[in-house]
Amino acid sequence: MNRFLFFSALLALFIVISCDAPLGETGRELETPGSVDPAGTASGQESDQDEGTGPGEADDDSGAPEVKEPESSGGNELPAEPETPAGPEIPADSSAQTEPPADPAAPDGSDPETSGENELPAEPETPAGPEIPADSSAQTDPPSEPAAPDGSEPESSGGNELPAEPETPAGPEIPADSSAQAEPPAEPVTPVEPQPPVESATVVGLELIAPPDRIQYRVGESVDLTGCELAVRMSDGSLIPVDMQETDSFVDTASSGVSLLRLETDHGSIEIPLLITDSAEVHILNGGVFIRGNDFDAYDDNPEKQISVGSFELSENETTYELWTSVRQWAAEYSPHEWTWSNKGREGNDGTAGDPCTADYLEPVTYISWQDAAIWCNARSEWEGVTPVYYTDETLSEPLRKPIASGLVCVSPRADGWRLPTEAEWEYAAGMGPLGMEDERTEYPGTDDKTGLPRFAWYPASCKAAGRESTWPVGSLESTGAGFYDMAGNVAEWCQDWHDPAWYSNAGEFDSGGPAASPALERVIRGSSYSGTIVDCAAANRSVLKFSGKSGTVGFRSARSVFPE
């Protein structure tokens, strides 16, 4: 700075001497050498600069720097301010004083040499900042000072200029918004905590999704697994199907009763109870029209009347004690529900109630009430996976699983489970001729001639002839032409209908399942027994027994409805 002041003062002295002008004169401008005449006025064009402009301001007409002589105010004139380094060029405002031009920078950064005798040495050029337009209604700010090479704060050039803010470390470049302040930095994203790994599901057990299509087999018959579906239950509740080809099955069908089918897989084993019996075959009968009743009987099976029945299945044999105990065993050991019977049943007419089967296990079950037979049919239905028929309420929501005192059991007409046959169905099957000739009806089951009855029925005459006046194993005699055994004789059979003496006169032409109630709470019994008369063996004969009654001469056979597909 001292060096600069020295050269500036030397240059000013030189100019004064050359121009022969008094130092204290005011209002005159210094002119560059070669353009000053002896009189001290410019030979070229007159300067248009205003008074009071600082040193180093550019001449708009000639483009060459011009130095003005500082004005003298008398003997108290202050020395000239030292020239500050030039910042970026700011356009002059026409209504304000112009600022001195920026000195050219020397290539090596040293003090610039003068281009003429009166040219001031140029300060080192500082890096140009962004160009800021001047306000036309105010004086321009002094040029900003260049930044120091070592990154320190530049010195103030005087005046009212505020010191520059310290430079902050550069972050990501954010475009400046000319109308608003810069947005604050975004808040940091909280990292998601890693969740613990989900434990893999484990095997809980093996479940039976669907039982085999058949659960009833003859003794020694091979088991068919068609329709059987197994699945592995996982701890997450999912089910994984089991390939039945990879399942090993074990079952003993050598004897009758309940036999367990054991299915083994890599994930465990499961047992399915099967019914092994030789006495539960059924025949499907197509529906038809026939003449029910007769006119020669003094009892209430008259008058004769045409009636129509639908298609149905009917067991070819009376229900045996072996079959009865097998279903009750399933209900007690394998059913998820509780079952109750009024009577345990007996093996034939001389068996002991509830005893295990003996060599006579194929004799019909006796000493059971109507409700006992109905509950048994429901249990068999649930075992085989079909819909129960008998219910305790009119909404058909609670299947009959125990006796009710009133005996008023509701029947589901569309259920496909096991049930007792209606008396119209029973008579239709009993008097039916050989299959294919159903219209050729017979008066007695299997025959029109009562002399031929001993071939088809166990009644007093045939029992005496055989030396045994009691029940016999089912299927011991010939079957009817339709394939049914013991439709007459051996034991009488419960039917579904309530008994009403006037029913035949009041019934319609289609089998409705009998009247809604019975005056004496009696149910219909059909057929005869080993102790009945030959008249009782007629296919049209009707008998009755109170719904809660039981007898060593009464049993039943089961039926199922057949619905069109």
Side-chain angles (χ1 to χ4, degrees):
M1 182 64 69
N2 292 333
R3 184 180 176 186
F4 172 75
L5 294 176
F6 172 77
F7 281 109
S8 298
L10 185 61
L11 179 60
L13 182 61
F14 175 76
I15 296 174
V16 171
I17 295 173
S18 301
C19 297
D20 194 19
L23 294 175
E25 186 176 358
T26 62
R28 292 187 59 184
E29 296 180 356
L30 298 179
E31 297 183 4
T32 59
S35 62
V36 182
D37 59 14
T41 59
S43 60
Q45 63 182 8
E46 186 174 340
S47 171
D48 59 355
Q49 292 181 353
D50 296 333
E51 288 185 351
T53 56
E57 189 168 351
D59 187 352
D60 292 339
D61 294 336
S62 64
E66 185 176 67
V67 180
K68 286 186 179 182
E69 182 180 353
E71 295 180 358
S72 173
S73 60
N76 296 329
E77 183 178 356
L78 296 177
E81 289 286 338
E83 183 176 356
T84 58
E89 183 175 353
I90 302 173
D93 189 351
S94 60
S95 63
Q97 295 180 353
T98 59
E99 295 182 356
D103 293 327
D108 58 356
S110 61
D111 291 336
E113 296 180 1
T114 58
S115 59
E117 292 180 3
N118 61 343
E119 186 174 1
L120 296 177
E123 288 293 325
E125 183 177 353
T126 58
E131 192 170 324
I132 304 173
D135 187 356
S136 60
S137 62
Q139 293 183 354
T140 57
D141 294 330
S144 60
E145 294 198 59
D150 56 358
S152 61
E153 291 291 334
E155 295 182 3
S156 174
S157 60
N160 295 327
E161 183 176 359
L162 296 177
E165 291 290 333
E167 184 176 357
T168 57
E173 186 172 352
I174 302 175
D177 185 357
S178 60
S179 62
Q181 295 181 352
E183 296 182 0
E187 295 184 2
V189 179
T190 304
V192 179
E193 296 183 2
Q195 298 295 324
V198 179
E199 295 183 2
S200 58
T202 57
V203 175
V204 174
L206 198 63
E207 290 192 12
L208 178 66
I209 304 302
D213 292 342
R214 289 182 60 194
I215 67 162
Q216 178 182 312
Y217 295 89
R218 287 183 175 273
V219 174
E221 187 178 5
S222 298
V223 174
D224 183 8
L225 294 180
T226 301
C228 185
E229 295 182 17
L230 299 179
V232 177
R233 170 74 67 178
M234 306 301 292
S235 58
D236 60 0
S238 61
L239 289 173
I240 303 177
V242 173
D243 186 355
M244 297 302 296
Q245 298 296 328
E246 301 177 358
T247 301
D248 295 325
S249 61
F250 304 92
V251 61
D252 181 12
T253 62
S255 60
S256 62
V258 177
S259 186
L260 295 178
L261 169 65
R262 183 180 179 85
L263 301 175
E264 292 188 354
T265 71
D266 293 339
H267 302 287
S269 62
I270 195 170
E271 292 180 337
I272 303 173
L274 300 180
L275 174 60
I276 311 301
T277 179
D278 283 335
S279 62
E281 294 296 323
V282 298
H283 296 294
I284 297 178
L285 301 180
N286 295 322
V289 178
F290 72 104
I291 302 298
R292 181 176 66 177
N294 62 65
D295 289 330
F296 60 85
D297 194 340
Y299 198 56
D300 58 3
D301 51 6
N302 57 70
E304 293 182 351
K305 192 171 186 179
Q306 179 175 288
I307 188 170
S308 173
V309 296
S311 299
F312 63 102
E313 293 181 8
L314 186 66
S315 296
E316 68 177 15
N317 285 301
E318 294 167 331
T319 301
T320 64
Y321 184 70
E322 169 264 334
L323 184 57
W324 166 268
T325 56
S326 295
V327 173
R328 292 184 71 244
Q329 178 185 350
W330 172 86
E333 299 179 7
Y334 303 103
S335 172
H337 306 290
E338 182 179 352
W339 299 82
T340 304
W341 283 263
S342 298
N343 304 282
K344 297 179 181 179
R346 294 185 184 181
E347 187 179 67
N349 71 304
D350 55 359
T352 302
D355 275 2
C357 294
T358 68
D360 294 329
Y361 64 90
L362 288 181
E363 288 191 24
V365 62
T366 62
Y367 285 96
I368 57 168
S369 68
W370 183 94
Q371 282 197 104
D372 289 333
I375 294 170
W376 184 92
C377 286
N378 272 4
R380 183 181 178 184
S381 296
E382 291 194 12
W383 185 3
E384 297 186 9
V386 291
T387 306
V389 173
Y390 302 108
Y391 294 83
T392 61
D393 60 322
E394 293 183 356
T395 61
L396 307 180
S397 60
E398 186 62 34
L400 179 69
R401 297 191 180 99
K402 60 182 180 181
I404 54 178
S406 65
L408 298 177
V409 175
C410 299
V411 177
S412 173
R414 300 300 300 173
D416 61 349
W418 291 101
R419 57 177 176 80
L420 298 171
T422 66
E423 65 169 332
E425 290 173 337
W426 191 97
E427 185 175 340
Y428 179 69
M432 185 178 291
L435 294 179
M437 297 183 294
E438 290 85 356
D439 293 338
E440 297 183 7
R441 301 191 58 79
T442 58
E443 183 178 349
Y444 299 96
T447 181
D448 264 334
D449 184 1
K450 59 183 177 182
T451 60
L453 189 58
R455 295 165 46 205
F456 304 99
W458 291 112
Y459 68 110
S462 58
C463 286
K464 288 180 181 179
R468 177 179 173 178
E469 297 183 19
S470 66
T471 54
W472 289 76
V474 299
S476 301
L477 300 176
E478 294 182 29
S479 69
T480 65
F484 299 102
Y485 296 92
D486 302 306
M487 293 294 287
N490 215 5
V491 292
E493 302 171 10
W494 286 110
C495 289
Q496 183 166 285
D497 306 45
W498 286 107
H499 176 258
D500 183 352
W503 178 245
Y504 270 32
S505 299
N506 300 328
E509 295 183 355
F510 186 82
D511 178 23
S512 62
S518 169
L521 299 179
E522 295 172 327
R523 294 282 183 174
V524 173
I525 292 175
R526 284 299 190 121
S528 182
S529 69
Y530 66 94
S531 61
T533 65
I534 194 170
V535 175
D536 295 336
C537 290
N541 185 70
R542 304 175 76 201
S543 298
V544 297
L545 185 64
K546 194 171 183 178
F547 77 91
S548 57
K550 58 185 177 181
S551 170
T553 61
V554 178
F556 72 98
R557 75 177 69 214
S558 52
R560 287 180 65 186
S561 299
V562 175
F563 301 104
E565 296 181 359

